[in-house]
Amino acid sequence: MEEQAAYFVKSVEKAFDVLLAFTPEHQRLTVSQVATLTDMTRASARRFLMTLADLGYLRADGPAFELTARSLDIGRSFLAGLTLPGVAEPHLKDLAARLNETTALCVLDGADVVYVVCVPSPRLLSVSITVGTRFPAWATSMGRVLLGGLPEPELQQYLETVQLHRYTQRSVSSIEQLRAEVDAARDRGWSMVSEELEEGLRGVAVPVRRGNDIVAAANVSLQTHRASAEDVERAVVPQLQEAARRIALDYSGPVTGHRPTHRSA
């Protein structure tokens, strides 16, 4: 195990472990459940839960605890200072309205993609994703676009440490296959992932650039019965690339060098 620095405060790490135990799948947790998820004793978990409740980040409801709105304060300053979501949202709203599909903007955070903007489809039945949602980068079109923008040493380190999981029968099953998908996304300027993370769901993503750097990925998510992969490539990718170009232009001014291109099948 890597030795921790002398300044490292273990109790801070444990407090965040407790907060991060609460997920969309685990919105209400008991002391015993938190203890199991965080590898703490029940007594320790109870002390952290009670302290966080006293500070207003958690609320006790009978034997269970749940996050409060104050927990949003932790990330609010980051999102407020990150101007890209504010710049991107109008363009993604326009794209969602034109395509009648869900659009989003994601950034890379460690091994995950994190949604910083999400515009639901105008249709009643749409992909249910919110700001702050995380997915493994390797399993998503956004992640493969963002991984393709990493310097080679960082990408290689990622590939050496990532753990693949078969979410569906179509999920990539080897590092070699993943590397090929990332390389393809980099070469053609977009990525499509069909039913690798969830059955019936197809996602397509393109990079959003600042200068020559990829700073985010713009995405359209849709149900597979809505359009074939060929139709998405022909009709959705060019519009998504144009939206990404407009986002980049508003975010950082005219971009020299790389321009999005689309190659027909």
Side-chain angles (χ1 to χ4, degrees):
M1 180 180 293
E2 184 177 346
E3 186 176 347
Q4 293 173 338
Y7 60 78
F8 195 86
V9 182
K10 191 69 176 177
S11 59
V12 174
E13 179 188 33
K14 290 183 176 180
F16 276 99
D17 284 345
V18 170
L19 287 173
L20 293 173
F22 293 86
T23 66
E25 295 76 27
H26 301 99
Q27 297 184 28
R28 289 168 50 83
L29 294 171
T30 64
V31 172
S32 296
Q33 288 172 322
V34 170
T36 299
L37 290 169
T38 59
D39 196 26
M40 294 184 192
T41 66
R42 193 177 184 282
S44 293
R46 183 178 184 278
R47 287 197 299 271
F48 279 101
L49 287 165
M50 295 299 292
T51 300
L52 289 166
D54 286 347
L55 292 172
Y57 293 101
L58 296 176
R59 172 174 48 246
D61 182 14
F65 290 80
E66 57 188 12
L67 294 173
T68 68
R70 189 174 184 183
S71 62
L72 294 172
D73 291 347
I74 297 173
R76 185 172 291 132
S77 295
F78 169 76
L79 290 174
L82 188 65
T83 59
L84 180 56
V87 168
E89 188 168 11
H91 297 290
L92 293 174
K93 283 183 175 179
D94 178 67
L95 184 62
R98 283 189 282 111
L99 295 177
N100 207 26
E101 302 291 355
T102 296
T103 62
L105 188 79
C106 291
V107 297
L108 191 63
D109 182 29
D112 297 333
V113 292
V114 181
Y115 284 73
V116 294
V117 178
C118 186
V119 181
S121 164
R123 292 181 291 109
L124 179 61
L125 295 177
S126 61
V127 180
S128 179
I129 297 170
T130 59
V131 171
T133 296
R134 289 175 172 266
F135 288 124
W138 64 268
T140 67
S141 59
M142 304 84 72
R144 292 175 190 178
V145 163
L146 292 166
L147 290 171
L150 292 177
E152 181 59 30
E154 291 183 31
L155 176 59
Q156 188 59 40
Q157 182 180 22
Y158 172 87
L159 293 172
E160 290 173 357
T161 57
V162 66
Q163 298 293 317
L164 304 182
H165 174 74
R166 294 301 295 272
Y167 289 101
T168 75
Q169 290 301 311
R170 296 173 179 83
S171 300
V172 295
S173 57
S174 70
I175 297 301
E176 292 74 17
Q177 185 182 359
L178 174 59
R179 177 67 195 240
E181 291 290 338
V182 171
D183 288 345
R186 183 195 300 115
D187 291 343
R188 67 189 177 194
W190 56 274
S191 174
M192 188 186 306
V193 171
S194 297
E195 299 187 284
E196 291 191 40
L197 186 64
E198 183 178 335
E199 296 284 354
L201 183 64
R202 175 175 290 125
V204 60
V206 302
V208 175
R209 297 176 180 273
R210 192 172 202 179
N212 291 320
D213 296 327
I214 295 176
V215 294
N219 162 261
V220 175
S221 296
L222 61 163
Q223 294 158 337
T224 51
H225 72 267
R226 294 271 297 169
S228 67
E230 292 76 16
D231 288 340
V232 171
E233 181 179 351
R234 175 183 54 81
V236 176
V237 170
Q239 295 188 67
L240 182 56
Q241 288 178 322
E242 177 59 18
R245 187 189 70 81
R246 291 178 179 273
I247 292 169
L249 186 64
D250 286 353
Y251 185 49
S252 55
V255 177
T256 58
H258 179 90
R259 291 179 63 85
T261 57
H262 172 65
R263 299 186 301 190
S264 299

